[in-house]
Amino acid sequence: MNRPFAVLLVVCALVSIGWREVRSQPAPRVVSLLPLDSDWRFCRGDFANAAMPAFDDTSWRRVDLPHDWSAEGPFSAEYGSGNGYAPGGIAWYRKHFALAPEAAGKLVTIEFDGVYDHAEVWVNGQFAGGRPYGYASFECTLTPHVTFGSGDNVIAVRVDHSRFADSRWYTGSGIYRHVRLCVRDPLHIARWGTFVTTPVASARAAAVRIETAIENASGRSRSLTLESQIVSGGVVVATARTPTVMPAGGKRTLVQEITVREPQRWSLESPVRYVVRQQVHADSAIVDQGETSFGIRTIQFDSRLGFLLNEQPVRIKGVCLHHDGGSLGAAVPEGVWERRLRALKDLGVNAIRTSHNPPAPEFLDLCDRLGLLVEDEAFDEFTPPKNKWVNGWNAGVPSRFGYGEIFAEWSVTDIQDMVRRDRNHPSVILWSIGNEIDYPNDPFSHPVLGKSYRPENPPASDLVRYARPLVDAVRTLDSSRPVTAALASLAMSDAVALPQLLDVVGYNYQESRYGEDHKRYPQRVIVGSENNHQFANWAIVRDNPYVVGQFLWTGIDYLGEARAFPNRASGAGLLDLCGFRKPAAWFRQSLWSDAPMVYLAVSPAGNSRTRGARVEEHWNWPTGSTVTVSCYTNCEEVTLTLNHKPLAARRLADAVDGVLSWDVPYAPGMLEAVGTMKGKAVAAFALVTADTAARIELLPYSTAASPGGREVSQVEFRIVDAAGTRQPTADAVVTFEVEGPAHVLGIGNGDLNSVEDCKNLVHRAYQGRGLAILEATGAAGTITLKASSPGLEPARLTIPVGAASLRIARPTPNPAHPGA
């Protein structure tokens, strides 16, 4: 992703956002990229003249971007289960801004990271462009239609999500990702025009190849020199300069090859990034400059050895993720994603599949920085569209709106833009052209399906016809990464030779085919692109090096793909909608993490041994009952005690499907597990009986806020007893108050069946807790959050707004003590 070297300079001269104009500094002769997220006017509904500058929008609501109006509800059964019973519709956004006179003669564009969906953009009443695909990043040229000086410019964006049942999961509605205004010289580096690869990246030296597309939109030929510096920790480690002449209206790609000695290679444990700092010199001045982050690393997929990063084998321990943030809908701040990704990495997760669409650019920045691998996915369907369930998951009569309606016209463009935008991220190791595009009879069919074959459906051979242009489009732009697809029916796909188009073949829920297919197709690289949480499905990967890894469905609970109303979300995640760990998360940590851990969960006697049985993290059970205690651990041995009296010990070698278990007569108090390695205690976990709910606790995931920049603070609220133990059945209604320079962005509790207004300051706890997310307004000061509920002692939390970042995640509390 290209990042401007002189971002701060834009504030000085070229652009004035709102109604004022800044002229105090001379205009820099460089690219100027300015966030355009603040102070938009918004209104639901369609308006015949809303694109016109003179339209009166003074009564419209003021919003900051990113913004998702679907997340505001109200939620209703009339809207359909696929989208989580959230409203869609049509709405307009309008933004006023001024351009300084010094910007005249330059190119002015606006960049959208994502608008769901069917966006149409006008500037000063003139149509400037748009994009139907809600997950595509796109740019509109404003230059011919803007005015410079004291005149007011108006951008108007119409968003049409009236076909709200157009997805199998929650999409959100509106300008739900970031927006920027760009002012640059006619001679400039093209958008997404810098592509950095490291074809050789040994510990001794790396060959860095930089391809840079230069555009000359002026009416004359111009001589230029492209200077590229490789920077590490602020130090220039290598430089290249390339002169050329660009004809009027021309575009040319310059290739520079630079050697970096003894590079720091990007890895999961040490995700070091470098920066390519570029300047375009012309007419005795710098006319454009920018920065591109990249990582020095090698990747390889092998049909026998699996995946290798920097020549070392790495088993992919991945999760699939949708793009929503629970109570926030689709407009998810970076800080929320950082906390969630850190929580997943703490479990041993090392890879993310962006199911089933391109993610936000900042999401990939986080994966780069945190050391997480990414399978970057483009689509959930080809054409015609898949079934979109309206009355519940796989229930009733589906709708068939969706991307398939525009696939023929837009798919190649959309996937090319995804690759151009994301190809410098070292975290990205796979390009996926689609998810379950071969799902039997949805819509494609083939005689190999036997009695399920539907000859009236489109033939499965169409899959190859549609896939080939996508594969070619990806390889044309990036040959350094393999192409894959997450396939639902290898029987049907093999019958039409679809896997032969792919470099890596994704298997969704078809673990039983791994062994036979490896024998039948020994050169095929196999990855579990979507898998459930069963221990046996991981054991297959663990014990067979030729299986690259697996991606669990899913890492986090997600909105949509719901069942009957009021159910609004899927509970398939390791983390819930608030980002809290579920028992499944601890189980996965016992399988995937090397850090010593132990965990306890409980169910009525015998139930935990039943497939799909629910286990619970508490020690509040009927007196006199017998319960089954399940223990997840990676320690050699675990000793279980009740009220400090030893009950029994178990060795990990005796685990059944990765789980140790005991049937225990229940008695209130404290149940504790201590894990040992070579006879030494290395981990502990305790469950404590909770007494009557007494008070509210507020536990921040950060302790300070920074003014400006959509900074967020995430605060867990708990209903606890007098000793501080969470009351696991508490569902108290909590009222929040916020004082100081912040407002509540969203409140959730993790309940899949909640239809509460997530923006309301009154919200119910679920299982004794919930999450409030605050957004700083940009001013300095102190934020005070208050929480109260009838019959409970209230809580108060102060957060200073200063230099520290709100995006630092609070470590997971140690649960081995009462009150956790």
Side-chain angles (χ1 to χ4, degrees):
M1 176 178 175
N2 294 342
R3 295 189 176 276
F5 175 53
V7 170
L8 294 179
L9 296 179
V10 70
V11 180
C12 301
L14 288 182
V15 183
S16 174
I17 300 302
W19 295 94
R20 57 189 174 84
E21 183 178 346
V22 181
R23 300 170 181 263
S24 59
Q25 299 290 334
R29 299 189 69 185
V30 293
V31 62
S32 300
L33 199 62
L34 184 72
L36 203 65
D37 288 341
S38 64
D39 197 25
W40 286 70
R41 309 289 180 90
F42 167 77
C43 192
R44 294 194 198 186
D46 209 358
F47 305 90
N49 298 315
M52 305 308 294
F55 181 86
D56 183 5
D57 58 18
T58 55
S59 64
W60 284 16
R61 176 178 153 205
R62 291 175 179 259
V63 299
D64 292 334
L65 307 180
H67 174 249
D68 171 13
W69 83 71
S70 288
E72 301 168 359
F75 311 113
S76 171
E78 68 180 292
Y79 295 127
S81 58
N83 66 345
Y85 299 105
I90 298 174
W92 284 81
Y93 295 82
R94 284 169 56 90
K95 173 71 179 176
H96 297 260
F97 68 100
L99 286 167
E102 292 85 358
K106 296 186 179 293
L107 296 180
V108 182
T109 60
I110 186 170
E111 299 178 352
F112 295 88
D113 285 344
V115 183
Y116 205 93
D117 60 347
H118 291 275
E120 298 174 340
V121 182
W122 283 264
V123 58
N124 296 334
Q126 302 297 313
F127 182 70
R131 199 63 160 258
Y133 189 31
Y135 298 107
S137 297
F138 65 97
E139 178 184 62
C140 297
T141 300
L142 309 182
T143 311
H145 312 302
V146 292
T147 60
F148 303 91
S150 59
D152 178 40
N153 293 286
V154 180
I155 294 172
V157 182
R158 182 180 185 267
V159 183
D160 184 354
H161 191 204
S162 53
R163 291 184 170 186
F164 54 83
D166 64 342
S167 174
R168 300 188 301 115
W169 63 90
Y170 178 89
T171 62
S173 301
I175 308 178
Y176 70 102
R177 290 180 179 169
H178 292 294
V179 180
R180 289 167 297 278
L181 196 69
C182 185
V183 182
R184 53 191 156 192
D185 194 274
L187 180 63
H188 58 271
I189 299 171
R191 185 176 187 234
W192 304 325
T194 300
F195 180 31
V196 186
T197 55
T198 55
V200 177
S202 70
R204 297 181 57 186
V208 180
R209 177 184 171 90
I210 307 168
E211 302 176 32
T212 308
I214 308 289
E215 296 177 339
N216 180 12
S218 69
R220 61 185 177 90
S221 177
R222 298 177 70 175
S223 298
L224 67 93
T225 297
L226 173 67
E227 180 178 344
S228 298
Q229 299 176 336
I230 297 180
V231 181
S232 174
V235 177
V236 177
V237 297
T239 302
R241 293 174 61 90
T242 304
T244 191
V245 177
M246 287 288 292
K251 180 175 181 179
R252 181 173 299 164
T253 297
L254 304 181
V255 177
Q256 298 170 313
E257 295 183 345
I258 305 176
T259 299
V260 175
R261 303 294 179 186
E262 298 182 350
Q264 299 181 68
R265 294 191 288 183
W266 187 92
S267 67
L268 303 180
E269 299 75 24
S270 181
V272 176
R273 290 181 295 168
Y274 287 76
V275 171
V276 171
R277 182 179 297 166
Q278 296 183 296
Q279 294 180 338
V280 178
H281 299 261
D283 305 325
S284 302
I286 300 171
V287 296
D288 193 10
Q289 55 190 1
E291 292 186 349
T292 302
S293 295
F294 72 101
I296 294 176
R297 55 102 174 109
T298 63
I299 61 172
Q300 180 185 356
F301 286 84
D302 187 273
S303 61
R304 295 179 298 106
L305 303 176
F307 172 67
L308 293 89
L309 177 64
N310 298 326
E311 298 86 41
Q312 298 300 313
V314 174
R315 187 72 74 224
I316 289 178
K317 303 171 182 176
V319 296
C320 303
L321 289 182
H322 276 310
H323 71 298
D324 73 86
S327 65
L328 305 180
V332 188
E334 182 180 356
V336 172
W337 273 123
E338 179 168 355
R339 172 182 159 244
R340 291 173 168 223
L341 291 176
R342 285 185 181 275
L344 290 170
K345 187 159 186 179
D346 286 345
L347 302 180
V349 171
N350 64 17
I352 307 294
R353 174 174 168 237
T354 67
S355 48
H356 305 293
N357 47 262
E362 62 270 20
F363 180 92
L364 295 179
D365 290 339
L366 281 169
C367 292
D368 290 345
R369 180 159 56 88
L370 297 177
L372 288 165
L373 307 170
V374 176
E375 177 180 330
D376 203 345
E377 194 154 77
F379 311 120
D380 184 50
E381 62 187 18
F382 287 175
T383 188
K386 289 180 178 178
N387 293 329
K388 312 300 188 310
W389 300 103
V390 177
N391 299 315
W393 187 63
N394 288 351
V397 178
S399 76
R400 289 190 175 87
F401 302 130
Y403 188 76
E405 297 175 280
I406 59 171
F407 176 89
E409 180 181 0
W410 282 98
S411 60
V412 170
T413 298
D414 286 338
I415 203 168
Q416 286 178 326
D417 281 355
M418 179 187 83
V419 173
R420 287 192 183 98
R421 190 196 71 173
D422 297 344
R423 60 188 176 177
N424 290 312
H425 290 281
S427 58
V428 176
I429 60 168
L430 283 166
W431 301 117
S432 173
I433 63 171
N435 168 66
E436 296 186 347
I437 49 178
D438 62 337
Y439 197 91
N441 299 312
D442 192 14
F444 303 100
S445 198
H446 190 278
V448 75
L449 298 177
K451 293 181 179 179
S452 298
Y453 173 51
R454 297 179 186 173
E456 69 275 14
N457 281 27
S461 57
D462 282 354
L463 288 165
V464 175
R465 179 162 63 94
Y466 296 142
R468 183 174 283 112
L470 301 181
V471 173
D472 291 344
V474 172
R475 289 175 177 157
T476 297
L477 294 173
D478 179 19
S479 60
S480 70
R481 297 175 177 89
V483 180
T484 188
L487 301 180
S489 174
L490 266 298
M492 187 167 72
S493 288
D494 279 330
V496 296
L498 176 61
Q500 279 85 316
L501 294 180
L502 308 173
D503 304 303
V504 175
V505 181
Y507 283 57
N508 281 17
Y509 310 105
Q510 297 168 92
E511 296 86 357
S512 63
R513 297 184 62 98
Y514 290 170
E516 188 61 34
D517 281 7
H518 178 59
K519 294 176 183 177
R520 185 180 302 168
Y521 308 105
Q523 300 307 311
R524 176 177 293 180
V525 179
I526 296 173
V527 63
S529 44
E530 195 166 309
N531 309 86
N532 63 33
H533 297 238
Q534 290 184 16
F535 173 79
N537 293 337
W538 167 244
I540 295 173
V541 177
R542 181 197 62 192
D543 299 338
N544 294 283
Y546 64 84
V547 183
V548 169
Q550 69 172 187
F551 289 90
L552 293 178
W553 190 264
T554 61
I556 307 175
D557 290 354
Y558 58 94
L559 299 174
E561 204 161 13
R563 298 180 187 270
F565 188 82
N567 176 248
R568 295 195 54 242
S570 167
L574 299 174
L575 311 180
D576 70 11
L577 290 170
C578 292
F580 300 141
R581 286 190 180 194
K582 297 158 66 175
W586 296 92
F587 179 57
R588 194 54 44 174
Q589 183 180 8
S590 74
L591 302 178
W592 283 1
S593 176
D594 294 328
M597 58 81 61
V598 63
Y599 172 82
L600 297 175
V602 186
S603 66
N607 282 14
S608 66
R609 300 187 183 95
T610 303
R611 180 178 177 183
R614 176 184 176 89
V615 294
E616 302 180 43
E617 186 189 309
H618 66 80
W619 193 239
N620 281 65
W621 299 89
T623 301
S625 64
T626 296
V627 296
T628 296
V629 176
S630 297
C631 177
Y632 311 146
T633 187
N634 55 14
C635 298
E636 292 174 350
E637 187 174 60
V638 174
T639 300
L640 189 69
T641 63
L642 178 57
N643 296 325
H644 308 292
K645 296 180 180 180
L647 294 180
R650 296 275 195 277
R651 295 188 62 81
L652 182 58
D654 299 324
V656 177
D657 290 340
V659 181
L660 298 174
S661 63
W662 298 264
D663 284 340
V664 177
Y666 172 74
M670 183 171 72
L671 183 75
E672 185 176 21
V674 176
T676 60
M677 301 286 284
K678 298 181 179 178
K680 181 180 179 180
V682 293
F685 187 95
L687 295 176
V688 178
T689 302
D691 205 345
T692 304
R695 58 187 172 89
I696 304 171
E697 278 190 346
L698 296 177
L699 305 172
Y701 283 85
S702 55
T703 57
S706 298
R710 197 170 174 82
E711 299 290 344
V712 296
S713 180
Q714 301 165 77
V715 180
E716 179 181 352
F717 61 94
R718 287 184 175 182
I719 312 300
V720 299
D721 65 10
T725 302
R726 175 166 60 93
Q727 228 298 334
T729 60
D731 59 356
V733 176
V734 181
T735 299
F736 296 90
E737 297 179 60
V738 180
E739 298 174 355
H743 64 274
V744 171
L745 200 60
I747 302 176
N749 59 19
D751 184 1
L752 304 176
N753 298 310
S754 174
V755 292
E756 294 176 272
D757 182 351
C758 296
K759 308 295 182 182
N760 197 325
L761 295 183
V762 179
H763 209 86
R764 181 175 56 88
Y766 177 65
Q767 297 180 345
R769 65 184 174 186
L771 185 73
I773 301 175
L774 281 65
E775 181 180 33
T777 62
T782 300
I783 301 168
T784 301
L785 177 66
K786 300 177 182 179
S788 62
S789 183
L792 298 177
E793 181 183 335
R796 176 190 179 102
L797 175 70
T798 59
I799 303 172
V801 180
S805 172
L806 276 172
R807 295 178 294 177
I808 304 302
R810 176 170 66 89
T812 302
N814 179 4
H817 63 82

